[in-house]
Amino acid sequence: MVGRMAKRKPRTPPPPRRVQAPKTRTGPSRTSSRPQNTGVALGEIGMRQRAILYGVALSGVVALAAVVILVVVAGGGSGAKAAIKAIRNAGGQFRTYPALPRAPHYQTLNPTPAPKWNSFPPTSGRHYYQPLIFGIYTEPVPEIRAVHNLEHGAVILQYGDKVSKAGVAKITAWYRQDANAVLVAPLPKLGDKVALTAWTRWAETTGFNEKVANDFRRAFRYKAPEHYPKSYLNPGE
């Protein structure tokens, strides 16, 4: 069971990383969206994350449904209202999107037809079976993988190619203040905008606003369908 696993200490955020290609899956199962024991290169998921996945599976459908209900209820409190107010006071935009179906997992990074999400960047929907390693990236990341991180409770900050170097430096400092379950990466198409996403939640501002980012992270982090212990969402995992 996930709840009985030993807690681990928070990890110091590693330096910015380049995107690493996931290992390929050989002989994928057509009936399951989870990595299997046979013929699967688990790659970045690792042994600890595999143990978590099995624990979640053993908890049963009923227990998972209960977690989803609790998470949804928790996402609509005063923290969310404060975050939305801060975003709009800063001249930004905020939206809550309907949750799209999450399964089955994609077995390739470039599926045909391509995924259809209801926001940019995406906030829910089908995704690649391996999530990204949590951290801060120096180049764009595959959105098809980033959605998997959202499903685990991530907050993702992405910034356009017209955001100043000073703004990027502030984003880096913000990330390092509290990096658990946070992913940062450039997304050139955003231009001078900064986008913040969590599961079904989307915000956008012109340039980086630290208060907005703090409030968004506080309100919407860990609010997702698959609940992982915080100690398993550290940078580098």
Side-chain angles (χ1 to χ4, degrees), residues 9-95:
K9 295 182 180 179
R11 178 177 295 177
T12 302
R17 64 173 67 242
R18 294 176 60 85
V19 178
Q20 296 179 347
K23 293 185 179 180
T24 56
R25 176 190 290 263
T26 58
S29 169
R30 296 180 182 271
T31 59
S32 173
S33 62
R34 293 189 179 89
Q36 306 296 310
N37 285 329
T38 305
V40 177
L42 291 178
E44 295 169 1
I45 292 180
M47 295 298 291
R48 292 192 179 96
Q49 288 192 351
R50 182 172 62 178
I52 288 288
L53 289 172
Y54 290 164
V56 171
L58 292 173
S59 67
V61 174
V62 174
L64 181 58
V67 170
V68 172
I69 292 172
L70 289 173
V71 167
V72 170
V73 171
S78 59
K81 292 179 180 178
I84 295 168
K85 182 178 180 180
I87 292 163
R88 290 175 176 163
N89 285 345
Q93 301 181 65
F94 174 85
R95 296 191 185 103

Side-chain angles (χ1 to χ4, degrees), residues 90-115:
Q93 301 181 65
F94 174 85
R95 296 191 185 103
T96 297
Y97 287 90
L100 297 173
R102 298 182 283 132
H105 286 176
Y106 288 110
Q107 312 301 324
T108 176
L109 291 173
N110 298 291
T112 302

Side-chain angles (χ1 to χ4, degrees), residues 5-225:
M5 292 188 178
K7 294 183 178 178
R8 298 184 295 174
K9 295 182 180 179
R11 178 177 295 177
T12 302
R17 64 173 67 242
R18 294 176 60 85
V19 178
Q20 296 179 347
K23 293 185 179 180
T24 56
R25 176 190 290 263
T26 58
S29 169
R30 296 180 182 271
T31 59
S32 173
S33 62
R34 293 189 179 89
Q36 306 296 310
N37 285 329
T38 305
V40 177
L42 291 178
E44 295 169 1
I45 292 180
M47 295 298 291
R48 292 192 179 96
Q49 288 192 351
R50 182 172 62 178
I52 288 288
L53 289 172
Y54 290 164
V56 171
L58 292 173
S59 67
V61 174
V62 174
L64 181 58
V67 170
V68 172
I69 292 172
L70 289 173
V71 167
V72 170
V73 171
S78 59
K81 292 179 180 178
I84 295 168
K85 182 178 180 180
I87 292 163
R88 290 175 176 163
N89 285 345
Q93 301 181 65
F94 174 85
R95 296 191 185 103
T96 297
Y97 287 90
L100 297 173
R102 298 182 283 132
H105 286 176
Y106 288 110
Q107 312 301 324
T108 176
L109 291 173
N110 298 291
T112 302
K116 290 185 178 180
W117 296 304
N118 56 8
S119 66
F120 176 78
T123 60
S124 70
R126 291 183 61 192
H127 46 268
Y128 189 63
Y129 78 101
Q130 285 184 339
L132 290 159
I133 292 177
F134 280 106
I136 183 167
Y137 289 80
T138 58
E139 57 189 39
V141 298
E143 299 295 336
I144 197 171
R145 296 186 71 186
V147 174
H148 200 153
N149 293 74
L150 295 178
E151 186 186 41
H152 291 181
V155 160
I156 300 178
L157 185 152
Q158 296 178 89
Y159 57 91
D161 57 4
K162 291 183 172 58
V163 174
S164 67
K165 290 183 179 180
V168 175
K170 290 178 181 179
I171 289 170
T172 301
W174 168 82
Y175 163 80
R176 290 185 174 278
Q177 290 170 9
D178 186 358
N180 186 261
V182 176
L183 195 152
V184 171
L187 181 55
K189 289 182 180 180
L190 288 171
D192 63 350
K193 307 294 185 183
V194 170
L196 287 153
T197 52
W199 189 258
T200 73
R201 310 285 188 158
W202 173 96
E204 186 178 270
T205 58
T206 300
F208 176 70
N209 184 300
E210 185 174 4
K211 175 173 173 51
V212 166
N214 281 335
D215 288 353
F216 189 97
R217 178 169 56 188
R218 187 181 303 114
F220 303 120
R221 184 170 49 175
Y222 313 127
K223 308 295 193 302

